[in-house]
Amino acid sequence: MRRPFVAGNWKMNLDLPAARDLAAGLVAGVPSDCAADVAICPPSIYLFPMAKAVDGSPVRLGSQNCWHEASGAFTGELSPDMVKETGCTYVILGHSERRNTIGPTDDSGRIWGESNQMIAAKARAVIDRGLTAIVCVGELLEQRDANQTEAVLSEQLSGSLATLSAADCDRLVIAYEPVWAIGTGRVATPEQAQAAHAHIRSRLAAQFDPARADEIRIQYGGSVKPGNAAELMACPDVDGALVGGASLKADDFLKIIEAAAASAA
Ligand code: PGA
């Protein structure tokens, strides 16, 4: 039985007082015997104060990114050890906003161009430091429309997890985030999510082994809201959610956590 896992990806949002209020709301609202794992992933500059804010509660901390080297001349980056020192349990890796998958029509310059190879190096480094990697995968709308979803997911998985072995699976979470559903209000249907998650699990089984693949949690991400969380998490291979916009409001995020906990019953 996989324990549901809900993580809030705050992205580059909130000021420090608002972050403190949100964390306080979650600490007050997540029961100590919650049947789901819960994490918040604030901007890295807020990790230390948020660690203090959630201390003693079931709410865990995640970083939105990190670099794979242990130290050195990498201006602006954080090492896995630095991230760990803040009290983090998780690190999100390969989010589509960091991959080169924003899409050809997007000219906003929000492209870091992270490759599968780079993500694989980060996943190795993060797991080696005892952190859990949340590795994101997902297709663009034009890839879905061209029936390439499964091929894209397979390629992202084999590339981004190339450095890992079956022994690493207990420190691995996958987030399936169709790029067309992120921040758009356009959510995947439960059927679309389940089909993608089942495909991901079959690839994990092929790459590692079926028993380990069965234990890996696969979160759905992309416009998860209180109104759609329960039906998504009712899908047999959907084991929780990676939540952006709706994780910025304590009430909304708590309702999603409740839906995840209920899906465990
Ligand atoms: P969203 O973001 O919930 O705002 O769509 C999800 C994510 O990018 O992780």
Side-chain angles (χ1 to χ4, degrees), residues 7-9 11 92 95-97 136 175 177-178 181-185 220-225 242-247:
N9 176 9
K11 308 191 181 181
I92 299 173
H95 191 282
S96 63
E97 287 152 19
C136 303
E177 298 206 308
I182 295 178
T184 58
Y220 169 81
S223 298
V224 176
K225 309 278 179 231
L242 182 55
V243 186
S247 73

Side-chain angles (χ1 to χ4, degrees), residues 101-107 111 140 142:
T101 52
I102 301 287
T105 54
D106 189 301
D107 59 0
I111 298 176
L140 298 168
E142 48 267 43

Side-chain angles (χ1 to χ4, degrees):
M1 182 70 195
R2 295 180 295 269
R3 199 172 144 81
F5 174 32
V6 180
N9 176 9
W10 291 3
K11 308 191 181 181
M12 199 177 73
N13 291 301
L14 306 176
D15 58 19
L16 192 50
R20 285 204 167 99
D21 282 352
L22 177 52
L26 299 177
V27 166
V30 179
S32 57
D33 60 350
C34 185
D37 289 339
V38 177
I40 53 171
C41 305
S44 52
I45 195 111
Y46 298 160
L47 284 170
F48 273 120
M50 289 308 100
K52 209 168 159 190
V54 300
D55 189 31
S57 86
V59 180
R60 298 283 170 268
L61 211 55
S63 171
Q64 297 176 15
N65 185 29
C66 80
W67 190 238
H68 64 275
E69 299 278 359
S71 65
F74 302 103
T75 302
E77 291 294 337
L78 303 174
S79 72
D81 271 337
M82 292 171 183
V83 164
K84 194 171 178 186
E85 204 175 3
T86 65
C88 275
T89 304
Y90 303 98
V91 183
I92 299 173
L93 295 175
H95 191 282
S96 63
E97 287 152 19
R98 301 206 58 90
R99 286 179 182 265
N100 190 16
T101 52
I102 301 287
T105 54
D106 189 301
D107 59 0
S108 66
R110 288 178 295 152
I111 298 176
W112 282 269
E114 290 197 7
S115 63
N116 286 322
Q117 202 182 3
M118 207 185 270
I119 295 157
K122 293 180 181 202
R124 180 71 268 152
V126 155
I127 292 174
D128 281 344
R129 304 314 300 153
L131 294 155
T132 292
I134 304 174
V135 175
C136 303
V137 294
E139 80 287 356
L140 298 168
L141 185 56
E142 48 267 43
Q143 292 168 329
R144 174 162 283 272
D145 288 345
N147 270 327
Q148 293 167 349
T149 298
E150 293 196 350
V152 168
L153 296 177
S154 298
E155 195 206 337
Q156 289 178 338
L157 287 168
S158 60
S160 306
L161 308 180
T163 52
L164 306 186
S165 67
D168 301 312
C169 290
D170 54 356
R171 295 209 177 275
L172 178 64
V173 173
I174 305 293
Y176 169 60
E177 298 206 308
V179 181
W180 47 271
I182 295 178
T184 58
R186 188 178 160 190
V187 65
T189 64
E191 294 73 26
Q192 287 172 323
Q194 171 55 29
H197 283 228
H199 176 70
I200 290 169
R201 200 172 305 285
S202 76
R203 298 309 305 160
L204 295 172
Q207 182 163 347
F208 302 118
D209 72 63
R212 299 312 297 261
D214 212 40
E215 290 164 6
I216 297 175
R217 291 174 299 179
I218 308 175
Q219 298 175 315
Y220 169 81
S223 298
V224 176
K225 309 278 179 231
N228 58 30
E231 60 176 12
L232 286 162
M233 290 189 269
C235 299
D237 285 292
V238 177
D239 309 313
L242 182 55
V243 186
S247 73
L248 299 173
K249 289 193 189 124
D251 285 354
D252 284 357
F253 195 50
L254 286 169
K255 284 187 190 127
I256 294 168
I257 293 165
E258 266 170 44
S263 78

